[in-house]
């Protein structure tokens, strides 16, 4: 839809009260209004949600916003509704009455923005409603698209079915209907970009990549020769920070609990945070941290999305993730206010002879990934060649994850979000779990500027000559 630039800007000013777009907001809005697919890599805090909210509000018809977490949807929908804008959300915890209200609003085409998780989107009753030919849908937005890369073939397999969503919706609508698809994420290296583009079946997407460099984030890596030394490095670092707000990342629930209790026993005020805690406990911890009652939390990757605290002065990785893009996402929680923040990664010495900790953990992750892939390939022989996910899940509880893995490896095609076909021949070379960890390894043990390496890894060409002047290598 061609919309006059003056109208766009007028609506933007009227709704949000800003003077003008921050680049590349204006270009993204234009792209979405013309109905093109897009992949947008834009750091958090860059005014990302406006880029899809404004086009949705300027058109008649519905835009679906797929988001991984209820808390994220609630924040955005609350802000929109405070401005009297036609937005709603659907999730499994809604009361029956609330749910019915949203369904009615969709049916009467009163909504412009509908927020929901991939799992809710694929719930049969809603899906049936969305497929009604007379219901106009303009666009699908995948927010926090890195979740597809991180979780799509583990515990959120519904992500892997989203490519078929657009295809099926278009097929259900009157001939010539176009539905655009745009994915937004804070970080994506070239590998993650390919995964997102292929999985969502984006059609020649316009790609917007904002440079991930942040001049106020000071990265450093410290090699540890024993687990004792790792702990003491952490302790020393935290004590120097003198109760400034921060975050410590571990990789497993158990590690976060053990480390938090060890630090607490030495008189530091902290708690563990992970997905195994109840929602109420988590909200309380988030609140206490935001208000400064707890200076830092020891967390798994469950902490972060939807929790906004701009003055985080430091981030320590007691253990690093396997994926470089996950790492960049996590350090990006530091210094959102633009003030300086120190980010430190503690890692085992590279040979793994003296301190086997990281090596053992990496092997464990790689083995368990390999194990799940093996199971998926075994299940492939038992599954019907053509089948329905609901039906095969009744017989094989692991089917949803297995189908997602088969899809990721190119063995499976979703005819629609529910029906699959398994192919005999591999459409592409599967990615080995070992390859995935290599970029992270090079970041930690490489010689050059940390930021220079990250820029190269994220596909920015100036990376190789880049010297930031404020990482541990440059200093
Ligand atoms: Zn540097």
């Amino acid at each position: 839809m061609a919309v006059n630039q003056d109208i766009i800007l007028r609506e933007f000013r009227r709704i949000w009260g800003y003077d003008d777009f921050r680049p590349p907001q204006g270009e993204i809005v234009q792209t979405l209004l013309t109905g093109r697919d897009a992949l947008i890599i834009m750091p958090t805090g860059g005014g990302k949600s406006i880029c899809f909210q404004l086009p949705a509000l300027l058109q008649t018809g519905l835009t679906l916003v797929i988001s991984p977490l209820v808390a994220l949807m609630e924040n955005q929908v609350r802000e929109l509704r405070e401005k009297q804008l036609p937005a709603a959300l659907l999730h499994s915890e809604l009361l029956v009455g609330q749910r019915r209200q949203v369904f009615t609003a969709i049916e009467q085409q009163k909504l412009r923005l509908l927020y929901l998780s991939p799992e809710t989107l694929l719930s049969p009753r809603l899906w049936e409603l969305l497929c009604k030919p007379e219901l106009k849908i303009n666009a699908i937005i995948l927010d926090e698209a890195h979740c597809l890369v991180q979780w799509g073939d583990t515990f959120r397999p519904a992500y892997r079915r989203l490519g078929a969503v657009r295809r099926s919706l278009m097929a259900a609508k009157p001939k010539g209907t176009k539905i655009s698809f745009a994915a937004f994420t804070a970080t994506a290296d070239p590998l993650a970009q390919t995964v997102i583009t292929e999985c969502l079946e984006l059609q020649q997407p316009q790609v917007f990549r904002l440079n991930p460099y942040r001049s106020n984030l000071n990265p450093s890596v410290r090699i540890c020769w024993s687990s004792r030394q790792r702990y003491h490095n952490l302790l020393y670092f935290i004590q120097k920070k003198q109760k400034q707000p921060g975050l410590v990342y571990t990789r497993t629930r158990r590690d976060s609990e053990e480390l938090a209790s060890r630090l607490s026993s030495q008189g530091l005020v902290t708690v563990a945070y992970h997905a195994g805690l109840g929602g109420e406990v988590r909200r309380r911890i988030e609140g206490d941290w935001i208000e400064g009652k707890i200076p830092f939390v020891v967390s798994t990757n469950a902490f972060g999305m939807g929790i906004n605290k701009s003055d985080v002065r430091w981030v320590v990785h007691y253990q690093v993730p396997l994926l470089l893009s996950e790492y960049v996402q996590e350090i990006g929680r530091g210094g959102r206010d633009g003030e300086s923040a120190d980010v430190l990664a503690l890692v085992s010495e590279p040979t793994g002879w003296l301190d086997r900790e990281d090596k053992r953990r990496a092997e464990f992750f790689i083995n368990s990934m390999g194990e799940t892939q093996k199971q998926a390939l075994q299940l492939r022989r038992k599954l019907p060649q053509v089948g329905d996910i609901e039906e095969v899940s009744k017989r094989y509880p692991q089917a949803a994850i297995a189908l997602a893995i088969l899809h990721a490896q190119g063995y499976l095609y979703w005819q629609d979000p529910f029906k699959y076909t398994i192919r005999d021949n591999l459409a592409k070379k599967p990615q080995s779990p070992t390859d995935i960890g290599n970029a992270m390894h090079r970041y930690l043990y490489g010689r050059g500027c940390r930021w220079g390496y990250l820029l190269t890894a994220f596909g920015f060409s100036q990376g190789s000559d880049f010297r930031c002047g404020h990482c541990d290598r440059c200093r």
Side-chain angles (χ1 to χ4, degrees), residues 32 35 55-56 59-66 105-107 109 111-114 116 121 126-141 165-174 176-182:
L32 299 197
Q59 302 175 77
T60 55
L62 186 65
T63 293
L64 304 171
V65 183
I66 305 168
I106 299 170
E107 238 172 333
Q109 311 221 29
L111 291 178
R112 293 286 179 271
L113 286 146
L114 176 65
L116 71 189
L121 172 61
L126 178 65
W127 180 250
E128 198 183 309
L129 174 60
L130 294 176
C131 284
K132 286 196 172 168
E134 65 277 14
L135 186 78
K136 189 166 185 252
I137 298 176
N138 295 319
I140 305 171
I141 307 295
V165 162
R166 188 232 321 244
R167 243 191 295 123
S168 301
L169 283 176
M170 274 173 52
K173 306 291 169 190
T177 300
K178 212 173 151 1
I179 299 174
S180 66
F181 207 148

Side-chain angles (χ1 to χ4, degrees), residues 39 192-205 207:
L39 172 60
Q193 291 168 32
T194 309
V195 172
I196 293 168
T197 306
E198 287 182 2
C199 180
L200 300 180
E201 302 175 18
L202 298 183
Q203 307 293 316
Q204 292 153 343
V207 180

Side-chain angles (χ1 to χ4, degrees), residues 219 448-452 466-475:
C449 168
R450 306 282 178 200
W451 273 116
F466 188 82
R467 284 185 61 79
C468 73
H470 55 96
C471 72
D472 57 344
R473 291 277 187 248
C474 289
R475 266 182 272 136

Side-chain angles (χ1 to χ4, degrees), residues 230 248-252 255-256 259 299 316-321 327 330 345-347 357-358 361 365:
R230 185 184 298 249
V248 176
Y249 276 105
T250 59
R251 297 336 302 170
T252 67
D255 286 329
S256 73
L259 185 59
S299 172
V316 176
H317 279 85
Y318 197 65
Q319 294 145 358
V320 293
Y327 175 75
E330 290 173 357
L346 297 172
V347 293
E357 216 180 305
D358 286 355
R361 194 171 315 103
F365 275 114

Side-chain angles (χ1 to χ4, degrees), residues 105 120 224 268 367 445:
T120 304
C224 310
L268 294 171
N367 287 342
Y445 300 108

Side-chain angles (χ1 to χ4, degrees), residues 72-90:
L72 285 178
M73 303 178 209
E74 276 174 343
N75 285 347
Q76 292 198 23
V77 171
R78 191 184 316 117
E79 280 170 22
L80 291 164
R81 296 189 75 114
E82 276 167 9
K83 296 182 167 68
Q84 315 290 329
L85 297 167
L89 78 169
L90 270 180

